[in-house]
Amino acid sequence: MGKNDTTKTNTPSPTTASAAPTKVEIGDHINVKTRLKGELRAAIVEKRIFGNDQIQQYYVHYVDYDRRLDEWVDETCLVMSTWDYSKRHKDKVVEQYMGSRSRKRKTANGDHVNKAVQEQAELEREHEEITKVKNIARIVMGKFEVDTWYFSPYPEGYYPCESLYICEFCLKYMKKQKTFQMHRDCLCEKRKPPGKEIYREGNVSVFEIDGREHRVYCQNLCLLAKLFLDHKTLYYDVDPFWFYIICEVDNEGAHIVGYFSKEKVSAEDYNLACILTFPQHQKKGYGKFIISLSYELSKREKKVGSPEKPLSDLGKISYRSYWTHILLNLLNKHCKEGTMKSLTIKQISHITSIKVDDILSTFQSLNMIQYW
């Protein structure tokens, strides 16, 4: 026989051939044709029959990408030649959660997983199950229509929906366009956030709001923000927090572009709890402005501050950029003045109100600090 007789073929095993499914289901992995990035590997999270045309759609999570890119796609977007159903019956969330934590505890507890870890894993699984699919596809806010990133626990009756209408002045949410237009044109008299204006420069204003005094506005803000923050858990208990609303001001009023919140009393000296620049106003420098504002407030309180951890992926980028900018400018100033050698980490912390741990981590990321 010739050499070709030894060539391996890709024939399926008897088990695979006999049990091969005929339709893509939840848990399967497959390539998806996307609008901007070509084909991407994705996991099937949910499925539905959509619209009057009864189109089969799948809710997909793109592997190695943030959940904010998750979306519904038509069945025609699936690349069937890349279909893998071998992971269909695995609970990835619990598997990853239990795996990482049980490995950490093996040295102390042998092969036994602590009950608290199991309970926490169950809570993680439950949270993942509830929030795995975006319940609101987009919001209409002012003159912008914005695709949402994550699930938000709006009251029943407001989801699932394709568009949720938000008043940009009072943050009231409405499901119908006619209701929204009537509210905007006839009912809502507000043209700025509640609370006290504490800053204005050019067309940018900042309002300080007490969560206890303006509870409904702050709760609406938290629900709105959750559409763009994956791990935010503050929705209704807003009393212990200050909220700082950043606005662009014009003849029509003060239009919200972002915000941050912080605890009124923080045992950990956190100067920021949540931070968000709405997607339609990103890439304008508001992220750094908000971070800078939080540290200016810390300086007025004569305190050293730090943001609550863990930070989101975008939060890490913004903070690392801000810390790098502030610290390098400070070092450059002292270098020119000839006082560099006498400058200590504690002095840097006192001058900038940046916590020592954050200063050290920034210097380490820049390879500017050594231990011996």
Side-chain angles (χ1 to χ4, degrees), residues 31-34 37-41 62 77 79 81-82:
N31 285 11
V32 176
K33 290 178 283 188
T34 67
K37 295 180 179 290
E39 284 188 20
L40 292 178
R41 195 67 177 165
Y62 297 111
C77 294
V79 183
S81 61
T82 65

Side-chain angles (χ1 to χ4, degrees), residues 316-345:
K316 286 178 183 176
I317 293 170
S318 296
Y319 265 95
R320 183 68 72 201
S321 175
Y322 173 80
W323 289 332
T324 299
H325 173 75
I326 294 297
L327 295 175
L328 291 184
N329 277 350
L330 181 66
L331 294 181
N332 184 52
K333 176 185 174 183
H334 280 267
C335 187
K336 289 179 178 178
E337 294 174 353
T339 57
M340 188 73 173
K341 290 185 178 180
S342 62
L343 188 64
T344 66
I345 296 294

Side-chain angles (χ1 to χ4, degrees), residues 19 25 63 181 184 207 216 315-316 329 354 363 367 372:
E25 298 289 347
V63 177
Q181 289 175 340
R184 183 187 59 191
F207 295 83
V216 174
K316 286 178 183 176
N329 277 350
I354 300 174
F363 283 154
N367 294 319
W372 63 85

Side-chain angles (χ1 to χ4, degrees), residues 95-132:
E95 182 182 298
Q96 286 182 342
Y97 189 92
M98 294 295 288
S100 62
R101 284 158 178 76
S102 62
R103 282 193 297 272
K104 289 178 183 178
R105 300 186 64 87
K106 270 189 178 181
T107 54
N109 298 330
D111 295 328
H112 298 288
V113 180
N114 187 280
K115 183 180 179 182
V117 175
Q118 291 179 319
E119 291 174 352
Q120 185 64 32
E122 180 62 26
L123 289 174
E124 286 276 329
R125 190 192 66 78
E126 183 178 344
H127 177 267
E128 185 75 15
E129 181 65 25
I130 293 171
T131 65
K132 67 182 181 180

